[in-house]
């Protein structure tokens, strides 16, 4: 039987993960034989759990001189996590660390409310503490408590773990921000909002901030000062793209300090060697401003947004595709179907907010009972895109279908729809450079050129071999969505 | 069709919506959701405490807690109202911990079967005295701010105690002794608080 002191030391060594093999055997021997030892063990484990709960849900203040105890800690331990980040962007981190790590926090003070969330999210730290052991078994874990809509949070780091993850927060002054996809955002508010977008996409609508205290956003490549505006920012390891929708945002390149004011409807890309020139971004256009294409949705609202220039494929406008029933782009191709027509489509697309890993673009061919778009549709072919890569890049979509006698003689209509796979009808995707071509083959049973030649009948002007005709594509029927 | 307002679910149970959605409909969904969240919030600390005595690192505790929460959500239709949700959740957690243990059984930190079973059995008993947060908070206040902050800091998410020890300028052994002494003081205080409460 070991002493209480020895037992408690072994329990502590086990809880701290520093127990040796021999000590572990001693501890287990004692636990096997003594109910009292097990009760002590259980009590210390409980205590450890409750201390952990308090430490994690309160912002733990800066570690002070541990006066009165036998240990003196001259400064707060710099987390290994911070060291790793320092290696990436020392300049940014030094400034941010000063705020987030060393500034005493008001314990447990909530600064944001969760407006909505989706998918797998990881909560890395709280109370602005943001510490993480890179070589520790205590690696970051998901927030196992309830992280629900309407809940309030102190400062901390939220990370989207999947392409369909998103997290929308609202500061107490009404400023709203949202990350989507594989993004990592740290947020704090000590009288001045300070955020760090380590990677990914962050959209925000910021109410006017107090004089001299703009919202600061740090990315690996740039720093943003936001007084009050709407904007989107995308951050990668070496580049940052800022698109300002309203107001003005100042952006400063970390590497050389070059600063640019970005006005509304402009965007700028910051890399180590970019010229940081402003590029005008045309405002979103409605269906009414988008020729040929119509919104065939149940509401049919032609004033809703149809195309935009952000999230572009080739620097031009693209079609916004939504799972919501409020939008269904379609057009009358002007083509009259003949049996055997080969319909081939190709396009590029990318997933965006709330688009799950199972959602797909669905190109649908249909006819109507009166050959008008407003008629009752009969869908005769659906061509699916496949699932998204989820990495924020455009991917190719294509497919083909053959018209039958049933459709013959009717007008061909095409719709760019979605096929839900994730159970939620709110995903957004972008489509560009849509092309539809038709190859018309002769009807089976008609005589062919060979038939005439076999009969000895000269046929000096043979019919051409079937070739595809592009009926939508580029500026033909606004296949690039750039027409106005 | 969006049947069950999945955006209202906690992230931890979000992934289960698809499987559950077809079984649920109508306003009862919201009630079930609210009931589950309320019960989970109430009983999760007990689960974490329980798992802490079985699993050697917090990483594992968090993982298994989350897994147990997900399983509980999946099976929530099977839970009978009026019975003990805490006991039900603890049973799920124990099973999930066992599954996890099989993957890491060779670690020196993982107890052998016999010890594991004894600890699991005794820690899950209804009669086990529970240390509650309010007990601890009273005792932490009594420690004084520097010691309180130190103790909380070394227990905070992701903090590597060895590194804190290094930066304290003290030897690791000396540092661990300080922390262990603080724990012992707090535990003594907590047990007195519980006894006073029960008196």
């Amino acid at each position: 039987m070991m002493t209480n002191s020895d037992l408690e030391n072994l329990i502590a060594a086990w809880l701290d993960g520093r127990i040796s093999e021999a000590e572990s055997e001693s501890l287990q021997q004692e636990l096997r034989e003594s109910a009292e030892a097990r009760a002590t063990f259980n009590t210390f484990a409980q205590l450890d759990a409750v201390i952990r709960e308090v430490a994690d849900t309160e912002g733990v203040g800066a570690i002070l001189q541990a006066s009165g105890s036998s240990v003196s800690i001259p400064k707060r331990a710099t987390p290994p996590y911070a060291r790793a980040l320092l290696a990436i962007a020392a300049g940014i981190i030094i400034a941010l660390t000063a705020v987030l790590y060393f500034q005493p926090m008001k314990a447990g003070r909530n600064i944001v409310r969760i407006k909505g969330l989706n998918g797998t999210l990881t909560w890395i730290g709280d109370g602005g503490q943001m510490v993480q052991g890179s070589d520790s078994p205590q690696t970051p874990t998901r927030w196992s408590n309830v992280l629900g809509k309407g809940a309030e949070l102190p400062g901390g780091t939220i990370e989207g773990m999947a392409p369909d993850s998103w997290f929308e927060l609202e500061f107490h002054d009404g400023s709203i921000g949202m990350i989507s996809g594989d993004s990592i955002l740290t947020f704090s508010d000590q009288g001045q909002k300070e955020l760090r977008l380590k990677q990914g996409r962050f959209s925000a609508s910021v109410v006017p901030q107090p004089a001299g205290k703009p919202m600061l956003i740090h990315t690996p490549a740039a720093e943003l000062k936001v007084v009050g505006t709407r904007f989107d920012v995308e951050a990668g390891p070496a580049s940052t793209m800022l698109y300002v929708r309203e107001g003005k945002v100042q952006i400063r390149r970390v590497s050389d300090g070059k600063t640019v004011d970005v006005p509304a409807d402009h965007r700028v890309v910051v890399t180590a060697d970019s010229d940081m020139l402003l590029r005008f971004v045309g405002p979103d256009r409605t269906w009414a401003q988008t020729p040929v294409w119509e919104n065939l949705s149940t509401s049919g609202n032609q004033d809703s947004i149809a195309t935009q220039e952000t999230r572009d494929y080739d620097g031009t406008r693209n079609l916004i595709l939504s799972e919501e029933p409020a939008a269904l782009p379609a057009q009358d191709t002007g083509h009259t179907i003949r049996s055997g027509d080969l319909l081939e489509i190709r396009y590029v697309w990318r997933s965006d907010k709330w688009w799950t890993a199972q959602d797909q673009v669905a190109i649908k061919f249909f006819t109507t009972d009166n050959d008008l778009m407003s008629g009752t549709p009969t869908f005769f072919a659906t061509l699916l895109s496949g699932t998204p890569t989820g990495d924020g890049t455009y991917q190719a979509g294509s497919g083909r279908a053959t018209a039958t006698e049933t459709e013959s003689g009717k007008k061909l209509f095409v719709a760019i729809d979605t096929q839900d796979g994730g159970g939620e009808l709110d995903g957004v995707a972008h489509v560009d450079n849509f092309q539809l071509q038709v190859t018309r083959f002769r009807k089976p049973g008609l005589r062919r050129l060979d038939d005439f030649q076999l009969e000895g009948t000269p046929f000096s002007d043979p019919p051409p071999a079937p070739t595809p005709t592009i009926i939508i594509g580029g500026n033909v029927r606004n296949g690039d969505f750039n027409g106005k | 069709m969006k049947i069950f307002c999945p955006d209202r679910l906690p992230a931890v149970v979000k992934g289960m919506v698809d499987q559950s959605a077809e079984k649920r409909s109508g306003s009862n969904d919201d009630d079930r959701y609210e009931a589950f969240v309320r019960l989970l919030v109430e009983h999760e600390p007990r689960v974490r405490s329980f798992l802490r005595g079985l699993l050697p690192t917090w990483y594992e505790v968090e993982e298994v807690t989350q897994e147990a929460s997900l399983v509980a959500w999946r099976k929530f239709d099977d839970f009978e109202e009026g019975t003990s949700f805490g006991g039900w959740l603890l049973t799920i957690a124990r099973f999930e911990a066992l599954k996890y243990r099989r993957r890491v059984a060779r670690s020196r930190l993982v107890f052998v079967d016999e010890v594991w079973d004894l600890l699991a059995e005794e820690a899950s008993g209804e009669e086990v005295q529970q240390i509650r947060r309010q007990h601890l908070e009273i005792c932490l206040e009594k420690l004084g701010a520097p010691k309180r902050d130190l103790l909380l800091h070394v227990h905070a998410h992701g903090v590597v105690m060895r590194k804190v020890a290094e930066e304290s300028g003290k030897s690791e052994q000396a540092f661990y002794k300080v922390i262990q002494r603080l724990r012992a003081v707090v535990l003594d205080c907590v047990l007195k608080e519980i006894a006073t409460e029960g008196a």
Side-chain angles (χ1 to χ4, degrees), chain A residues 14-16 19 28 46 48 58 139 142 144-145 424, chain B residues 14 44 52 59 66 108-109 112 131 133 148 183:
Chain A
W14 187 85
L15 288 170
D16 297 340
I19 197 167
Q28 293 192 61
Q46 269 197 55
D48 194 66
E58 286 189 10
T139 50
R142 294 169 202 143
S144 60
N145 292 323
E424 297 170 29
Chain B
K14 174 66 185 65
E44 195 195 47
R52 185 64 189 108
Y59 172 75
Q66 170 139 338
R108 72 181 188 286
L109 295 169
V112 297
I131 297 173
R133 183 178 175 138
R148 175 188 187 279
R183 284 175 179 149

PDB file of all heavy atoms in Angstrom, chain A residues 14-16 19 28 46 48 58 139 142 144-145 424, chain B residues 14 44 52 59 66 108-109 112 131 133 148 183:
ATOM      1  N   TRP A  14      -0.156  10.902 -14.179  1.00  0.00           N
ATOM      2  CA  TRP A  14      -1.009  10.294 -15.218  1.00  0.00           C
ATOM      3  C   TRP A  14      -1.876  11.368 -15.894  1.00  0.00           C
ATOM      4  O   TRP A  14      -1.965  11.440 -17.119  1.00  0.00           O
ATOM      5  CB  TRP A  14      -1.891   9.218 -14.593  1.00  0.00           C
ATOM      6  CG  TRP A  14      -2.668   8.440 -15.628  1.00  0.00           C
ATOM      7  CD1 TRP A  14      -2.236   7.355 -16.329  1.00  0.00           C
ATOM      8  CD2 TRP A  14      -4.001   8.710 -16.084  1.00  0.00           C
ATOM      9  NE1 TRP A  14      -3.225   6.919 -17.187  1.00  0.00           N
ATOM     10  CE2 TRP A  14      -4.313   7.741 -17.063  1.00  0.00           C
ATOM     11  CE3 TRP A  14      -4.956   9.672 -15.766  1.00  0.00           C
ATOM     12  CZ2 TRP A  14      -5.540   7.706 -17.716  1.00  0.00           C
ATOM     13  CZ3 TRP A  14      -6.182   9.645 -16.420  1.00  0.00           C
ATOM     14  CH2 TRP A  14      -6.464   8.668 -17.387  1.00  0.00           C
ATOM     15  N   LEU A  15      -2.474  12.213 -15.075  1.00  0.00           N
ATOM     16  CA  LEU A  15      -3.343  13.254 -15.634  1.00  0.00           C
ATOM     17  C   LEU A  15      -2.559  14.229 -16.505  1.00  0.00           C
ATOM     18  O   LEU A  15      -3.079  14.745 -17.497  1.00  0.00           O
ATOM     19  CB  LEU A  15      -4.037  14.023 -14.501  1.00  0.00           C
ATOM     20  CG  LEU A  15      -5.133  13.270 -13.741  1.00  0.00           C
ATOM     21  CD1 LEU A  15      -5.563  14.057 -12.503  1.00  0.00           C
ATOM     22  CD2 LEU A  15      -6.344  13.001 -14.640  1.00  0.00           C
ATOM     23  N   ASP A  16      -1.303  14.475 -16.128  1.00  0.00           N
ATOM     24  CA  ASP A  16      -0.479  15.410 -16.899  1.00  0.00           C
ATOM     25  C   ASP A  16       0.208  14.738 -18.078  1.00  0.00           C
ATOM     26  O   ASP A  16       0.929  15.387 -18.834  1.00  0.00           O
ATOM     27  CB  ASP A  16       0.590  16.041 -15.992  1.00  0.00           C
ATOM     28  CG  ASP A  16      -0.036  16.880 -14.875  1.00  0.00           C
ATOM     29  OD1 ASP A  16      -1.207  17.274 -15.017  1.00  0.00           O
ATOM     30  OD2 ASP A  16       0.642  17.124 -13.859  1.00  0.00           O
ATOM     31  N   ILE A  19       3.598  10.284 -16.952  1.00  0.00           N
ATOM     32  CA  ILE A  19       3.874   9.111 -16.127  1.00  0.00           C
ATOM     33  C   ILE A  19       4.779   8.135 -16.885  1.00  0.00           C
ATOM     34  O   ILE A  19       4.649   7.981 -18.110  1.00  0.00           O
ATOM     35  CB  ILE A  19       2.539   8.431 -15.717  1.00  0.00           C
ATOM     36  CG1 ILE A  19       2.757   7.480 -14.539  1.00  0.00           C
ATOM     37  CG2 ILE A  19       1.906   7.714 -16.896  1.00  0.00           C
ATOM     38  CD1 ILE A  19       1.452   7.027 -13.883  1.00  0.00           C
ATOM     39  N   GLN A  28      -1.490   1.442 -11.484  1.00  0.00           N
ATOM     40  CA  GLN A  28      -2.534   0.473 -11.817  1.00  0.00           C
ATOM     41  C   GLN A  28      -2.639  -0.635 -10.765  1.00  0.00           C
ATOM     42  O   GLN A  28      -3.732  -1.109 -10.467  1.00  0.00           O
ATOM     43  CB  GLN A  28      -2.275  -0.112 -13.200  1.00  0.00           C
ATOM     44  CG  GLN A  28      -2.423   0.927 -14.301  1.00  0.00           C
ATOM     45  CD  GLN A  28      -2.456   0.325 -15.681  1.00  0.00           C
ATOM     46  OE1 GLN A  28      -3.349  -0.468 -15.989  1.00  0.00           O
ATOM     47  NE2 GLN A  28      -1.508   0.691 -16.516  1.00  0.00           N
ATOM     48  N   GLN A  46     -12.093  14.165 -11.674  1.00  0.00           N
ATOM     49  CA  GLN A  46     -13.216  15.106 -11.677  1.00  0.00           C
ATOM     50  C   GLN A  46     -12.726  16.534 -11.519  1.00  0.00           C
ATOM     51  O   GLN A  46     -13.165  17.444 -12.216  1.00  0.00           O
ATOM     52  CB  GLN A  46     -14.141  14.798 -10.494  1.00  0.00           C
ATOM     53  CG  GLN A  46     -15.256  13.843 -10.790  1.00  0.00           C
ATOM     54  CD  GLN A  46     -16.302  13.969  -9.694  1.00  0.00           C
ATOM     55  OE1 GLN A  46     -16.809  15.047  -9.428  1.00  0.00           O
ATOM     56  NE2 GLN A  46     -16.591  12.875  -9.033  1.00  0.00           N
ATOM     57  N   ASP A  48      -9.825  17.736 -12.191  1.00  0.00           N
ATOM     58  CA  ASP A  48      -9.131  18.143 -13.411  1.00  0.00           C
ATOM     59  C   ASP A  48     -10.139  18.604 -14.470  1.00  0.00           C
ATOM     60  O   ASP A  48      -9.934  19.614 -15.147  1.00  0.00           O
ATOM     61  CB  ASP A  48      -8.323  16.949 -13.930  1.00  0.00           C
ATOM     62  CG  ASP A  48      -7.302  17.368 -14.982  1.00  0.00           C
ATOM     63  OD1 ASP A  48      -6.364  18.092 -14.622  1.00  0.00           O
ATOM     64  OD2 ASP A  48      -7.470  16.983 -16.149  1.00  0.00           O
ATOM     65  N   GLU A  58     -13.831  30.530 -19.217  1.00  0.00           N
ATOM     66  CA  GLU A  58     -13.485  31.885 -18.811  1.00  0.00           C
ATOM     67  C   GLU A  58     -12.286  32.285 -19.633  1.00  0.00           C
ATOM     68  O   GLU A  58     -11.463  31.470 -19.970  1.00  0.00           O
ATOM     69  CB  GLU A  58     -13.093  31.935 -17.332  1.00  0.00           C
ATOM     70  CG  GLU A  58     -14.258  31.815 -16.393  1.00  0.00           C
ATOM     71  CD  GLU A  58     -13.836  32.086 -14.949  1.00  0.00           C
ATOM     72  OE1 GLU A  58     -12.699  32.532 -14.734  1.00  0.00           O
ATOM     73  OE2 GLU A  58     -14.640  31.837 -14.069  1.00  0.00           O
ATOM     74  N   THR A 139      -4.089  18.457 -28.694  1.00  0.00           N
ATOM     75  CA  THR A 139      -4.283  19.172 -29.943  1.00  0.00           C
ATOM     76  C   THR A 139      -5.684  19.748 -29.978  1.00  0.00           C
ATOM     77  O   THR A 139      -6.538  19.351 -29.196  1.00  0.00           O
ATOM     78  CB  THR A 139      -4.117  18.202 -31.127  1.00  0.00           C
ATOM     79  OG1 THR A 139      -4.926  17.066 -30.871  1.00  0.00           O
ATOM     80  CG2 THR A 139      -2.688  17.793 -31.293  1.00  0.00           C
ATOM     81  N   ARG A 142     -12.761  19.839 -31.418  1.00  0.00           N
ATOM     82  CA  ARG A 142     -13.997  20.547 -31.693  1.00  0.00           C
ATOM     83  C   ARG A 142     -14.617  21.022 -30.399  1.00  0.00           C
ATOM     84  O   ARG A 142     -14.411  20.443 -29.352  1.00  0.00           O
ATOM     85  CB  ARG A 142     -14.975  19.623 -32.414  1.00  0.00           C
ATOM     86  CG  ARG A 142     -14.489  19.238 -33.772  1.00  0.00           C
ATOM     87  CD  ARG A 142     -15.358  18.118 -34.310  1.00  0.00           C
ATOM     88  NE  ARG A 142     -14.614  17.416 -35.335  1.00  0.00           N
ATOM     89  CZ  ARG A 142     -14.663  16.113 -35.516  1.00  0.00           C
ATOM     90  NH1 ARG A 142     -15.420  15.369 -34.757  1.00  0.00           N
ATOM     91  NH2 ARG A 142     -13.982  15.549 -36.458  1.00  0.00           N
ATOM     92  N   SER A 144     -16.924  20.944 -27.942  1.00  0.00           N
ATOM     93  CA  SER A 144     -17.851  19.858 -27.669  1.00  0.00           C
ATOM     94  C   SER A 144     -19.085  20.338 -26.921  1.00  0.00           C
ATOM     95  O   SER A 144     -20.055  19.612 -26.785  1.00  0.00           O
ATOM     96  CB  SER A 144     -17.156  18.765 -26.869  1.00  0.00           C
ATOM     97  OG  SER A 144     -16.685  19.275 -25.665  1.00  0.00           O
ATOM     98  N   ASN A 145     -19.025  21.539 -26.413  1.00  0.00           N
ATOM     99  CA  ASN A 145     -20.251  22.062 -25.833  1.00  0.00           C
ATOM    100  C   ASN A 145     -21.175  22.494 -26.956  1.00  0.00           C
ATOM    101  O   ASN A 145     -20.812  22.519 -28.113  1.00  0.00           O
ATOM    102  CB  ASN A 145     -19.943  23.249 -24.925  1.00  0.00           C
ATOM    103  CG  ASN A 145     -19.196  22.820 -23.687  1.00  0.00           C
ATOM    104  OD1 ASN A 145     -19.468  21.758 -23.146  1.00  0.00           O
ATOM    105  ND2 ASN A 145     -18.242  23.612 -23.272  1.00  0.00           N
ATOM    106  N   GLU A 424     -30.122  20.525 -47.662  1.00  0.00           N
ATOM    107  CA  GLU A 424     -30.421  21.927 -47.387  1.00  0.00           C
ATOM    108  C   GLU A 424     -30.465  22.684 -48.696  1.00  0.00           C
ATOM    109  O   GLU A 424     -29.554  22.582 -49.496  1.00  0.00           O
ATOM    110  CB  GLU A 424     -29.350  22.529 -46.484  1.00  0.00           C
ATOM    111  CG  GLU A 424     -29.294  21.860 -45.136  1.00  0.00           C
ATOM    112  CD  GLU A 424     -28.079  22.311 -44.368  1.00  0.00           C
ATOM    113  OE1 GLU A 424     -27.628  23.440 -44.592  1.00  0.00           O
ATOM    114  OE2 GLU A 424     -27.594  21.522 -43.565  1.00  0.00           O
TER     115      GLU A 424
ATOM    116  N   LYS B  14     -24.984  18.630 -35.980  1.00  0.00           N
ATOM    117  CA  LYS B  14     -25.383  19.015 -37.318  1.00  0.00           C
ATOM    118  C   LYS B  14     -25.301  17.851 -38.306  1.00  0.00           C
ATOM    119  O   LYS B  14     -26.168  17.666 -39.145  1.00  0.00           O
ATOM    120  CB  LYS B  14     -24.482  20.156 -37.776  1.00  0.00           C
ATOM    121  CG  LYS B  14     -24.678  20.561 -39.196  1.00  0.00           C
ATOM    122  CD  LYS B  14     -26.059  21.147 -39.362  1.00  0.00           C
ATOM    123  CE  LYS B  14     -26.284  21.441 -40.834  1.00  0.00           C
ATOM    124  NZ  LYS B  14     -26.294  20.241 -41.618  1.00  0.00           N
ATOM    125  N   GLU B  44     -23.371  17.196 -20.018  1.00  0.00           N
ATOM    126  CA  GLU B  44     -22.065  17.017 -20.650  1.00  0.00           C
ATOM    127  C   GLU B  44     -20.890  17.143 -19.673  1.00  0.00           C
ATOM    128  O   GLU B  44     -19.925  16.371 -19.763  1.00  0.00           O
ATOM    129  CB  GLU B  44     -21.889  17.975 -21.814  1.00  0.00           C
ATOM    130  CG  GLU B  44     -20.728  17.556 -22.698  1.00  0.00           C
ATOM    131  CD  GLU B  44     -20.298  18.643 -23.637  1.00  0.00           C
ATOM    132  OE1 GLU B  44     -20.135  19.791 -23.176  1.00  0.00           O
ATOM    133  OE2 GLU B  44     -20.127  18.344 -24.821  1.00  0.00           O
ATOM    134  N   ARG B  52     -12.584  11.768 -18.287  1.00  0.00           N
ATOM    135  CA  ARG B  52     -11.242  12.214 -17.876  1.00  0.00           C
ATOM    136  C   ARG B  52     -10.549  11.144 -17.032  1.00  0.00           C
ATOM    137  O   ARG B  52      -9.334  11.026 -17.048  1.00  0.00           O
ATOM    138  CB  ARG B  52     -11.342  13.530 -17.091  1.00  0.00           C
ATOM    139  CG  ARG B  52      -9.997  14.129 -16.732  1.00  0.00           C
ATOM    140  CD  ARG B  52      -9.248  14.506 -18.003  1.00  0.00           C
ATOM    141  NE  ARG B  52      -7.857  14.895 -17.755  1.00  0.00           N
ATOM    142  CZ  ARG B  52      -6.799  14.155 -18.070  1.00  0.00           C
ATOM    143  NH1 ARG B  52      -6.973  12.959 -18.610  1.00  0.00           N
ATOM    144  NH2 ARG B  52      -5.588  14.587 -17.847  1.00  0.00           N
ATOM    145  N   TYR B  59      -7.330  15.614 -25.444  1.00  0.00           N
ATOM    146  CA  TYR B  59      -7.696  15.432 -26.843  1.00  0.00           C
ATOM    147  C   TYR B  59      -8.676  14.263 -26.973  1.00  0.00           C
ATOM    148  O   TYR B  59      -9.710  14.356 -27.644  1.00  0.00           O
ATOM    149  CB  TYR B  59      -6.441  15.164 -27.668  1.00  0.00           C
ATOM    150  CG  TYR B  59      -6.733  14.784 -29.096  1.00  0.00           C
ATOM    151  CD1 TYR B  59      -7.137  15.743 -30.020  1.00  0.00           C
ATOM    152  CD2 TYR B  59      -6.630  13.465 -29.518  1.00  0.00           C
ATOM    153  CE1 TYR B  59      -7.419  15.395 -31.323  1.00  0.00           C
ATOM    154  CE2 TYR B  59      -6.910  13.106 -30.826  1.00  0.00           C
ATOM    155  CZ  TYR B  59      -7.297  14.081 -31.719  1.00  0.00           C
ATOM    156  OH  TYR B  59      -7.586  13.732 -33.019  1.00  0.00           O
ATOM    157  N   GLN B  66     -17.476  14.276 -27.908  1.00  0.00           N
ATOM    158  CA  GLN B  66     -18.194  14.682 -29.112  1.00  0.00           C
ATOM    159  C   GLN B  66     -18.853  13.480 -29.780  1.00  0.00           C
ATOM    160  O   GLN B  66     -20.004  13.544 -30.223  1.00  0.00           O
ATOM    161  CB  GLN B  66     -17.232  15.359 -30.076  1.00  0.00           C
ATOM    162  CG  GLN B  66     -17.862  15.588 -31.435  1.00  0.00           C
ATOM    163  CD  GLN B  66     -17.509  16.931 -32.007  1.00  0.00           C
ATOM    164  OE1 GLN B  66     -17.147  17.855 -31.300  1.00  0.00           O
ATOM    165  NE2 GLN B  66     -17.620  17.053 -33.299  1.00  0.00           N
ATOM    166  N   ARG B 108       1.245   3.470 -22.675  1.00  0.00           N
ATOM    167  CA  ARG B 108       1.483   3.250 -21.243  1.00  0.00           C
ATOM    168  C   ARG B 108       0.460   4.006 -20.408  1.00  0.00           C
ATOM    169  O   ARG B 108       0.289   3.744 -19.226  1.00  0.00           O
ATOM    170  CB  ARG B 108       2.900   3.699 -20.864  1.00  0.00           C
ATOM    171  CG  ARG B 108       3.072   5.208 -20.865  1.00  0.00           C
ATOM    172  CD  ARG B 108       4.495   5.629 -20.518  1.00  0.00           C
ATOM    173  NE  ARG B 108       4.601   7.057 -20.329  1.00  0.00           N
ATOM    174  CZ  ARG B 108       4.573   7.950 -21.313  1.00  0.00           C
ATOM    175  NH1 ARG B 108       4.447   7.555 -22.556  1.00  0.00           N
ATOM    176  NH2 ARG B 108       4.669   9.242 -21.053  1.00  0.00           N
ATOM    177  N   LEU B 109      -0.192   4.981 -21.032  1.00  0.00           N
ATOM    178  CA  LEU B 109      -1.159   5.787 -20.301  1.00  0.00           C
ATOM    179  C   LEU B 109      -2.534   5.121 -20.221  1.00  0.00           C
ATOM    180  O   LEU B 109      -3.407   5.566 -19.496  1.00  0.00           O
ATOM    181  CB  LEU B 109      -1.315   7.163 -20.974  1.00  0.00           C
ATOM    182  CG  LEU B 109      -0.070   8.055 -20.947  1.00  0.00           C
ATOM    183  CD1 LEU B 109      -0.254   9.257 -21.865  1.00  0.00           C
ATOM    184  CD2 LEU B 109       0.215   8.523 -19.536  1.00  0.00           C
ATOM    185  N   VAL B 112      -5.010  -1.150 -18.031  1.00  0.00           N
ATOM    186  CA  VAL B 112      -5.349  -2.518 -18.454  1.00  0.00           C
ATOM    187  C   VAL B 112      -6.850  -2.739 -18.219  1.00  0.00           C
ATOM    188  O   VAL B 112      -7.499  -1.996 -17.480  1.00  0.00           O
ATOM    189  CB  VAL B 112      -4.532  -3.561 -17.668  1.00  0.00           C
ATOM    190  CG1 VAL B 112      -3.048  -3.404 -17.963  1.00  0.00           C
ATOM    191  CG2 VAL B 112      -4.802  -3.454 -16.176  1.00  0.00           C
ATOM    192  N   ILE B 131     -18.146  16.877  -8.160  1.00  0.00           N
ATOM    193  CA  ILE B 131     -17.606  18.224  -7.945  1.00  0.00           C
ATOM    194  C   ILE B 131     -18.248  19.132  -8.980  1.00  0.00           C
ATOM    195  O   ILE B 131     -18.211  18.839 -10.171  1.00  0.00           O
ATOM    196  CB  ILE B 131     -16.075  18.230  -8.134  1.00  0.00           C
ATOM    197  CG1 ILE B 131     -15.406  17.337  -7.092  1.00  0.00           C
ATOM    198  CG2 ILE B 131     -15.533  19.653  -8.047  1.00  0.00           C
ATOM    199  CD1 ILE B 131     -13.904  17.167  -7.316  1.00  0.00           C
ATOM    200  N   ARG B 133     -18.990  23.017 -10.666  1.00  0.00           N
ATOM    201  CA  ARG B 133     -18.244  24.214 -11.010  1.00  0.00           C
ATOM    202  C   ARG B 133     -18.308  25.281  -9.922  1.00  0.00           C
ATOM    203  O   ARG B 133     -17.322  25.961  -9.641  1.00  0.00           O
ATOM    204  CB  ARG B 133     -18.790  24.761 -12.334  1.00  0.00           C
ATOM    205  CG  ARG B 133     -18.051  25.953 -12.825  1.00  0.00           C
ATOM    206  CD  ARG B 133     -18.593  26.410 -14.160  1.00  0.00           C
ATOM    207  NE  ARG B 133     -17.922  27.644 -14.520  1.00  0.00           N
ATOM    208  CZ  ARG B 133     -17.492  27.932 -15.723  1.00  0.00           C
ATOM    209  NH1 ARG B 133     -17.670  27.097 -16.693  1.00  0.00           N
ATOM    210  NH2 ARG B 133     -16.884  29.082 -15.960  1.00  0.00           N
ATOM    211  N   ARG B 148      -4.620  31.274  -8.701  1.00  0.00           N
ATOM    212  CA  ARG B 148      -5.801  30.899  -9.479  1.00  0.00           C
ATOM    213  C   ARG B 148      -5.476  30.942 -10.975  1.00  0.00           C
ATOM    214  O   ARG B 148      -5.765  29.993 -11.716  1.00  0.00           O
ATOM    215  CB  ARG B 148      -6.939  31.873  -9.162  1.00  0.00           C
ATOM    216  CG  ARG B 148      -8.181  31.687  -9.989  1.00  0.00           C
ATOM    217  CD  ARG B 148      -9.167  32.827  -9.715  1.00  0.00           C
ATOM    218  NE  ARG B 148     -10.452  32.597 -10.363  1.00  0.00           N
ATOM    219  CZ  ARG B 148     -10.684  32.856 -11.643  1.00  0.00           C
ATOM    220  NH1 ARG B 148      -9.725  33.345 -12.408  1.00  0.00           N
ATOM    221  NH2 ARG B 148     -11.879  32.607 -12.150  1.00  0.00           N
ATOM    222  N   ARG B 183      -3.503  21.893  -6.632  1.00  0.00           N
ATOM    223  CA  ARG B 183      -4.646  20.990  -6.826  1.00  0.00           C
ATOM    224  C   ARG B 183      -5.119  20.413  -5.486  1.00  0.00           C
ATOM    225  O   ARG B 183      -6.332  20.328  -5.230  1.00  0.00           O
ATOM    226  CB  ARG B 183      -4.260  19.835  -7.743  1.00  0.00           C
ATOM    227  CG  ARG B 183      -4.178  20.178  -9.210  1.00  0.00           C
ATOM    228  CD  ARG B 183      -3.675  18.954  -9.956  1.00  0.00           C
ATOM    229  NE  ARG B 183      -3.579  19.161 -11.386  1.00  0.00           N
ATOM    230  CZ  ARG B 183      -2.681  18.558 -12.162  1.00  0.00           C
ATOM    231  NH1 ARG B 183      -1.794  17.728 -11.631  1.00  0.00           N
ATOM    232  NH2 ARG B 183      -2.664  18.769 -13.454  1.00  0.00           N
TER     233      ARG B 183
END
